[in-house]
Amino acid sequence: EAGVAQSPRYKIIEKRQSVAFWCNPISGHATLYWYQQILGQGPKLLIQFQNNGVVDDSQLPKDRFSAERLKGVDSTLKIQPAKLEDSAVYLCASSLVAYGTNEKLFFGSGTQLSVL
Amino acid sequence: QKEVEQDPGPLSVPEGAIVSLNCTYSNSAFQYFMWYRQYSRKGPELLMYTYSSGNKEDGRFTAQVDKSSKYISLFIRDSQPSDSATYLCAMSASGDYKLSFGAGTTVTVRA
């Protein structure tokens, strides 16, 4: 079974630039998550999609972050403009079943973002 | 106060030792408790999944949950160098998909 695919693996940008991350979940997984993991901290949920609809984006800084999941499959997370404090690993995860359940999450390897 | 507290370590043990990891939490609604293992430059991987209180064993790994004390533990017996990783506890309330993670404990098993 193929895992969650993410790209790029690493990205270095200067502050105020824009950046985009891509995620392809496990085939058939209805739910997709984007997490932010700052060095030395646990992952923090940014946004959750159920198919192509947003279930929860309460912790997404909407003035600079945006995400979409067209056709209910792969997803893109964008930051524009980036700030120094956005330096983190951005993890994509997917799960098989629907919102409201405590289902096993499968994580990708993440994109490590450095903002200079 | 953070919702989930986890000692970041680092923890260094010799091969074959028992590794003991723990987390405390403040939200009494948490019912589902998980331990994830995260190797360097990789995403977290689910290791143990426990519902409510009690113990769960899987090979060399044992997870314990004490809801009365709001305390969970993970024990690794006969530790191997391949167990060297960061271990994250995570938990959620019933019917709530949101996971609250601890900061992770970095473990090194010396050969």
Side-chain angles (χ1 to χ4, degrees):
Chain A
E1 179 182 73
V4 176
Q6 288 190 247
S7 66
R9 286 300 311 276
Y10 305 94
K11 191 74 179 178
I12 300 173
I13 61 172
E14 295 190 350
K15 60 183 179 182
R16 291 188 289 274
Q17 286 187 324
S18 62
V19 64
F21 313 125
W22 174 83
C23 172
N24 190 20
I26 292 173
S27 178
H29 279 199
T31 310
L32 185 148
Y33 312 76
W34 283 102
Y35 281 83
Q36 179 192 57
Q37 187 174 22
I38 293 172
L39 187 65
Q41 298 182 20
K44 183 185 86 171
L45 179 67
L46 292 176
I47 188 167
Q48 180 187 351
F49 292 93
Q50 177 70 29
N51 296 310
N52 60 347
V54 175
V55 169
D56 185 349
D57 63 358
S58 59
Q59 297 190 93
L60 187 74
K62 297 180 188 62
D63 57 334
R64 298 184 300 104
F65 285 64
S66 64
E68 60 183 10
R69 190 184 184 196
L70 299 176
K71 300 179 182 178
V73 182
D74 53 354
S75 175
T76 304
L77 176 70
K78 296 179 182 177
I79 308 175
Q80 183 180 15
K83 292 186 175 181
L84 297 177
E85 59 261 35
D86 298 330
S87 294
V89 175
Y90 291 85
L91 294 163
C92 179
S94 68
S95 64
L96 183 61
V97 292
Y99 163 78
T101 65
N102 302 93
E103 183 63 13
K104 179 178 179 178
L105 266 61
F106 294 83
F107 284 87
S109 293
T111 295
Q112 185 170 331
L113 173 67
S114 297
V115 182
L116 307 178
Chain B
Q1 182 191 12
K2 291 182 183 177
E3 204 168 36
V4 180
E5 298 277 1
Q6 183 177 8
D7 186 340
L11 198 59
S12 179
V13 301
E15 184 175 356
I18 295 175
V19 176
S20 174
L21 306 167
N22 57 75
C23 290
T24 58
Y25 62 94
S26 57
N27 188 346
S28 57
F30 286 149
Q31 295 274 5
Y32 295 85
F33 303 92
M34 287 141 271
W35 287 95
Y36 282 82
R37 178 174 61 195
Q38 187 172 23
Y39 290 117
S40 180
R41 289 185 284 277
K42 295 288 188 183
E45 170 194 22
L46 183 65
L47 199 57
M48 299 287 282
Y49 184 105
T50 310
Y51 171 70
S52 195
S53 284
N55 294 357
K56 185 173 183 178
E57 192 172 314
D58 183 1
R60 296 184 296 111
F61 299 90
T62 300
Q64 291 183 350
V65 175
D66 181 350
K67 290 189 67 183
S68 62
S69 302
K70 295 191 179 70
Y71 185 91
I72 70 170
S73 301
L74 177 71
F75 298 96
I76 308 173
R77 290 185 301 281
D78 188 25
S79 57
Q80 305 294 311
S82 58
D83 295 326
S84 298
T86 297
Y87 291 81
L88 298 152
C89 63
M91 44 201 81
S92 65
S94 182
D96 185 356
Y97 54 87
K98 279 187 186 175
L99 288 179
S100 294
F101 281 89
T105 301
T106 300
V107 174
T108 301
V109 181
R110 308 185 307 271

